[in-house]
Amino acid sequence: QTCEAEVLLFSVPSYACQRRTTLQNQNAVLTDALSLLAENAELSDEEGRGVAFRRAAAVLKSLPEPVTSMTQLRGLPGLGDHSLRVIKDVLENGASSEVESTKRSERYKALKVLTGIFGVGSKTADRWIRDGIHDLRQLGDSAHTLNRAQQAGLEHYDDLNQPVTKAEADAIGEIVEAAVVSVLPGARMTLIGGFRRGKQTGHDVDFLITHPEEGREVGLMPKVVSRLEAQGFLLYQKTTRNSYLESKDGPGRPSSNMDRFERCFSIFKLTEEERGGMKRADTERESDAHSHTSHQIHTRGRGLEAADEDEGVAEERSKPAGRKRWRAVRVDLVVSPISQFAFALLGWTGSKLFERELRRWAGHEKSMSLSSHALYDSKQSRYLRATSEEEIFSHLGLEFIPPSERNA
Ligand code: 8DG
Ligand code: MN
Ligand code: MN
């Protein structure tokens, strides 16, 4: 006879920004299933469903122990009927039939492969699929014209679908920082995104740049980009200028979640010497492949096809003659004035769900509006200043959660 009291029950606050979520996920099998359904919903332009699955996965990620029975889920927030059904299926049968059939579906496979091209979003992929294009070969054979980003994405498809290691991120960091400091002495650069949260691999590398004197950062990005370009480090770049001040958004009411910093999406050319030798990087990459969760989360467009292509690449690399001595890496650069630095840092560290939950908490619980530029208090009709992430959490009435525990 099982006694109720023996069932391990968890107590979990409803917002992800109230919880500590490390990379030690005790429920990876369950969260992988929910994340795949979230991804499928997002790729199908069903954002609401995507968020619901992401929230459910995030709750399970925050639990200190593996879930073994449905009774343990009683009272947990964020678990809707659909997510509960999926969890039940996995607990009882070892896998979710919905997840398995999604993985096998031609549409999902095609969406994965096509959106695995840098510059291709779900809308473009959907249009192509309706034109009968399901893979890269069919895309190549078609009459579709690709924009500059997509051409670069296709050209570097294999590299860009290969996880970036922390060692590679650090190597790129040194190169970019040297360029930044050479064009603006005193400027500072910080690693943001997943690597700041302690991840060992990522789909790209993200950096935030600022200068301690307000205004000195203006016009910095084009100079950094020119410098890196002249050094031969950029395979592709698209820079967008700062549009925060000229925006027509009301106070604290940004028209979208997209922020308005000067930023640059790029594809970086990292050579073997710079990344400290191919051997080391390959070993690291192999160990990543064994870590189920990181592999699933970081790589887009790695269906069966991508796996085949990886083998092709490995073969090519083992040939001593035509061996490629560099790899392409996606790099995002953002420049912020020092007055907004703490907000930019918080807004660009992620995870994406953690950010979404912070904004939801601010709006629903505090009548505040949080962006990567500022925090606006509607009750006081004023902006709340902050020079550190700690201050922003404090303004929001939240306990400070360090980056390594924002892996919701
Ligand atoms: P990964 O690259 O390792 O896969 O994960 P990540 O580093 O967490 O994801 P990311 O896609 O590189 O995004 C990093 C953070 O930047 C994440 O919190 C989302 C945020 N972010 C964008 N685009 C924008 C944007 O336009 N505005 C703001 N405020 N944040 C953005 O990716
Ligand atoms: Mn990233
Ligand atoms: Mn990024």
Side-chain angles (χ1 to χ4, degrees):
Q1 189 198 334
T2 45
C3 168
E4 278 266 329
E6 279 173 23
V7 177
L8 179 57
L9 290 176
F10 306 108
S11 157
V12 174
S14 21
Y15 291 83
C17 53
Q18 298 173 288
R19 308 192 291 253
R20 296 177 182 273
T21 314
T22 66
L23 289 165
Q24 272 67 57
N25 178 1
Q26 303 296 314
N27 287 284
V29 177
L30 293 173
T31 60
D32 282 353
L34 294 166
S35 300
L36 186 133
L37 296 179
E39 181 192 33
N40 185 240
E42 288 157 3
L43 289 174
S44 309
D45 258 330
E46 297 173 37
E47 207 202 335
R49 252 158 55 87
V51 174
F53 285 130
R54 296 262 176 229
R55 280 215 191 106
V59 166
L60 300 184
K61 281 183 199 171
S62 77
L63 301 180
E65 316 233 356
V67 170
T68 51
S69 83
M70 293 301 285
T71 46
Q72 288 176 291
L73 301 177
R74 240 186 280 154
L76 289 187
L79 301 177
D81 289 344
H82 197 155
S83 294
L84 285 170
R85 237 171 24 241
V86 174
I87 295 167
K88 186 161 186 277
D89 210 2
V90 175
L91 289 180
E92 287 176 359
N93 309 311
S96 147
S97 53
E98 184 178 2
V99 169
E100 295 310 307
S101 70
T102 301
K103 274 195 216 165
R104 279 193 308 265
S105 81
E106 288 307 316
R107 185 179 160 75
Y108 175 76
K109 285 193 277 186
L111 282 168
K112 282 285 279 185
V113 171
L114 297 176
T115 60
I117 305 170
F118 168 66
V120 177
S122 59
K123 289 205 176 70
T124 302
D126 180 66
R127 195 154 37 78
W128 288 347
I129 291 170
R130 279 190 273 118
D131 290 343
I133 294 162
H134 288 78
D135 58 34
L136 302 186
R137 191 184 49 77
Q138 289 170 340
L139 179 63
D141 292 345
S142 78
H144 284 282
T145 46
L146 305 181
N147 65 29
R148 206 168 59 85
Q150 295 161 349
Q151 282 171 31
L154 197 53
E155 192 174 336
H156 304 293
Y157 188 87
D158 293 333
D159 277 2
L160 298 185
N161 281 290
Q162 189 87 246
V164 184
T165 65
K166 180 66 165 66
E168 289 167 337
D170 290 337
I172 292 169
E174 279 175 32
I175 293 165
V176 178
E177 186 161 32
V180 166
V181 172
S182 86
V183 300
L184 181 64
R188 291 181 198 159
M189 195 183 81
T190 312
L191 187 63
I192 47 174
F195 287 112
R196 182 163 184 253
R197 302 197 307 275
K199 288 191 358 180
Q200 288 305 301
T201 60
H203 97 282
D204 68 357
V205 193
D206 310 281
F207 297 106
L208 176 60
I209 302 162
T210 190
H211 190 283
E213 273 172 68
E214 185 83 3
R216 292 287 298 279
E217 81 293 342
V218 172
L220 178 57
M221 189 72 88
K223 288 182 197 152
V224 172
V225 169
S226 299
R227 167 107 193 154
L228 290 171
E229 220 151 33
Q231 292 174 304
F233 284 122
L234 297 185
L235 296 161
Y236 167 90
Q237 65 84 16
K238 184 175 160 61
T239 304
T240 47
R241 64 198 181 89
N242 184 320
S243 60
Y244 184 58
L245 292 174
E246 65 206 54
S247 79
K248 299 204 175 61
D249 306 343
R253 262 174 269 112
S255 59
S256 78
N257 294 333
M258 286 299 279
D259 66 36
R260 299 165 184 287
F261 289 118
E262 213 179 11
R263 57 182 292 190
C264 175
F265 303 97
S266 77
I267 301 177
F268 206 91
K269 180 174 180 172
L270 187 62
T271 67
E272 270 179 52
E273 301 84 74
E274 286 136 15
R275 62 203 270 234
M278 186 75 87
K279 265 244 158 63
R280 209 178 85 206
D282 274 354
T283 315
E284 278 162 12
R285 203 170 278 146
E286 235 160 64
S287 58
D288 288 333
H290 296 300
S291 139
H292 189 51
T293 28
S294 62
H295 194 64
Q296 286 248 330
I297 290 166
H298 299 304
T299 53
R300 305 186 71 196
R302 283 174 70 95
L304 286 174
E305 298 215 7
D308 287 341
E309 279 156 16
D310 284 350
E311 272 169 36
V313 169
E315 227 174 78
E316 195 180 293
R317 280 186 188 151
S318 64
K319 272 185 254 160
R323 187 158 149 272
K324 191 157 133 295
R325 301 189 62 89
W326 56 272
R327 71 159 292 188
V329 179
R330 274 273 298 110
V331 173
D332 283 341
L333 305 177
V334 189
V335 172
S336 121
I338 190 75
S339 60
Q340 300 174 14
F341 180 77
F343 297 98
L345 185 61
L346 179 59
W348 283 85
T349 295
S351 69
K352 283 193 183 102
L353 187 83
F354 192 90
E355 303 291 341
R356 178 182 272 277
E357 292 279 278
L358 272 176
R359 293 193 298 267
R360 189 166 73 94
W361 167 270
H364 290 195
E365 305 296 330
K366 298 284 157 182
S367 302
M368 292 181 189
S369 172
L370 175 69
S371 75
S372 296
H373 298 280
L375 178 62
Y376 183 76
D377 185 336
S378 303
K379 286 183 187 151
Q380 301 185 55
S381 301
R382 68 180 184 101
Y383 286 96
L384 305 178
R385 298 191 166 280
T387 55
S388 68
E389 289 185 323
E390 282 84 346
E391 268 182 88
I392 304 173
F393 278 88
S394 158
H395 283 320
L396 289 168
L398 289 168
E399 200 180 316
F400 178 68
I401 309 285
S404 62
E405 294 175 333
R406 296 181 203 159
N407 287 291

